């Protein structure tokens, strides 16, 4: 917190020297843009923050500091950043390598539902039913037929329990882990989720195809600029600190407040 306060003062000092200011309209525009990116309105942002104990005034003051810092950095360090085509190609190749390790699974399941007010005995009984589904599937019974006969998921039951492609991270963590561990055609042990016990079957895995370079070039460029701006911000703040004398009295304060040694 102390470092942030110090950085803020240094940025304001630099802004004054560069004749840079931030108006209320600038803050409104910045907050509006952030709200739009989150699919909300500024008033919704203010209301959500108020529930967390952050007032409108406090939030706008924080945003004013952020906008001012961005203006100072744009004026002082943006010129130091030079993203070349070679940098973009390197970032793209790295993204392609990462995509090569990613797959999108197609999943089917049988859900043995558990009501929210179920007793522990009822939860255990539902798990026993799920274990019977696992046993029957692993000895060769058709998984689709088992889903049509036994699943409590009415949305997928008639399609044999098929949920389609599941994007990694879109399910609760315990279900994601179980899917990751499955080989094609494999059937999981019962996994407890919010709706009950799931028996999962991995239908197939599809390799993620990397998008063409041209379609992601602008996004890669923005990511590299943001990363380099963060690095240059640290360098610039260190440069600013060398222009002032900082008297850190925290150690002395801690020493005075500490109980005497025994």
């Amino acid at each position: 917190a102390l470092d942030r306060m110090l950085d803020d003062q240094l940025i304001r000092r630099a802004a004054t020297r560069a004749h840079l200011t931030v108006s209320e309209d600038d803050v409104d525009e910045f907050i509006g843009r952030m709200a739009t990116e989150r699919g909300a309105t500024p008033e919704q942002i203010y209301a959500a923050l108020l529930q967390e104990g952050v007032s409108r005034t406090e939030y706008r003051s924080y945003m004013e500091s952020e906008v001012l810092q961005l203006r100072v950095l744009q004026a002082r360090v943006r010129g130091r950043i030079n993203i070349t085509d070679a940098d973009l190609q390197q970032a793209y190749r790295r993204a392609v390598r990462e995509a090569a390790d990613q797959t999108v699974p197609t999943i089917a399941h049988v859900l043995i539902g558990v009501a929210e007010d179920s007793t522990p005995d009822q939860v255990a009984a539902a798990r026993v039913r799920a274990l019977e589904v696992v046993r029957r599937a692993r000895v060769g019974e058709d998984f689709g037929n088992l889903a049509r006969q036994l699943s409590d998921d009415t949305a997928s039951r008639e399609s044999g329990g098929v949920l389609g492609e599941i994007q990694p991270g879109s399910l609760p963590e315990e279900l994601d882990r179980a899917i990751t561990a499955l080989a094609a055609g494999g059937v999981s042990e019962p996994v407890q989720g919010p709706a009950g016990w799931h028996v999962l079957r991995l239908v197939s895995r599809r390799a993620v195809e990397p998008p063409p370079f041209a379609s992601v070039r602008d996004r890669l460029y923005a990511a590299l600029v943001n990363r380099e701006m963060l690095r240059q911000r640290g360098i610039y703040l260190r440069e600013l600190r060398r222009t002032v004398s900082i008297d850190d009295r925290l150690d002395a304060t801690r020493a005075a407040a500490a109980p005497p040694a025994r």
Side-chain angles (χ1 to χ4, degrees):
L2 180 61
D3 280 340
R4 177 172 176 80
M5 290 170 61
L6 179 59
D7 290 344
D8 185 60
Q9 290 302 313
L10 291 170
I11 288 291
R12 289 185 181 279
R13 191 168 180 241
T16 298
R17 291 179 172 178
H19 306 291
L20 297 172
T21 59
V22 173
S23 68
E24 289 293 308
D25 288 343
D26 295 330
V27 176
D28 286 337
E29 181 183 351
F30 189 70
I31 293 174
R33 190 163 62 246
M34 289 184 61
T36 300
E37 290 172 358
R38 290 163 172 74
T41 65
E43 291 304 321
Q44 289 171 329
I45 297 290
Y46 292 137
L49 288 167
L50 190 59
Q51 291 181 343
E52 298 177 10
V54 180
S55 72
R56 184 190 189 105
T57 301
E58 290 171 330
Y59 180 62
R60 289 184 64 84
S61 176
Y62 177 80
M63 287 295 105
E64 186 269 342
S65 296
E66 290 294 300
V67 176
L68 187 63
Q69 182 177 129
L70 285 173
R71 292 212 167 155
V72 171
L73 293 177
Q74 285 285 348
R76 295 304 187 203
V77 307
R78 183 62 181 85
R80 304 177 185 179
I81 298 173
N82 180 31
I83 306 299
T84 66
D85 282 340
D87 296 328
L88 291 170
Q89 290 289 349
Q90 183 180 22
Y92 179 69
R93 287 193 295 271
R94 183 166 57 248
V96 169
R97 288 195 300 270
E98 291 171 357
D101 296 329
Q102 297 175 1
T103 59
V104 179
T106 296
I107 297 296
H109 82 149
V110 173
L111 171 67
I112 306 300
V114 176
E116 289 185 6
D117 58 352
S118 295
T119 66
D121 285 345
Q122 289 171 325
V123 174
R127 184 174 186 276
V128 170
R129 290 172 56 202
L131 283 168
E132 178 62 12
V133 173
V134 174
R135 185 192 67 79
R136 292 171 63 178
R138 288 180 176 175
V139 298
E141 286 197 48
D142 182 78
F143 194 87
N145 287 338
L146 289 172
R148 282 184 280 270
Q149 295 167 16
L150 303 171
S151 182
D152 291 322
D153 179 10
T154 56
S156 68
R157 187 165 56 204
E158 294 308 312
S159 64
V162 176
L163 299 173
E165 289 191 343
I166 303 296
Q167 295 297 322
S170 62
L171 295 177
E173 184 179 352
E174 59 273 13
L175 297 177
D176 255 347
R177 280 200 305 268
I179 292 170
T180 299
L182 288 174
V187 175
S188 74
E189 292 293 315
V191 183
Q192 190 171 18
W197 294 98
H198 300 261
V199 177
L200 303 163
R201 179 176 182 272
L202 177 62
V203 178
S204 63
R205 287 191 187 276
R206 176 178 63 81
V208 175
E209 292 293 329
F213 173 73
S215 69
V216 296
R217 187 185 188 282
D218 291 345
R219 191 163 72 242
L220 289 172
Y221 181 82
L224 290 180
V225 168
N226 287 338
R227 186 179 69 184
E228 185 60 15
M229 280 288 283
L230 284 174
R231 191 178 77 85
Q232 291 294 341
R233 174 185 178 276
I235 294 172
Y236 181 62
L237 286 170
R238 287 194 294 273
E239 292 172 355
L240 289 180
R241 288 188 181 218
R242 286 196 290 269
T243 68
V244 297
S245 175
I246 300 172
D247 184 10
D248 184 353
R249 303 185 183 184
L250 278 181
D251 288 340
T253 303
R254 291 192 192 98
R262 296 185 180 182

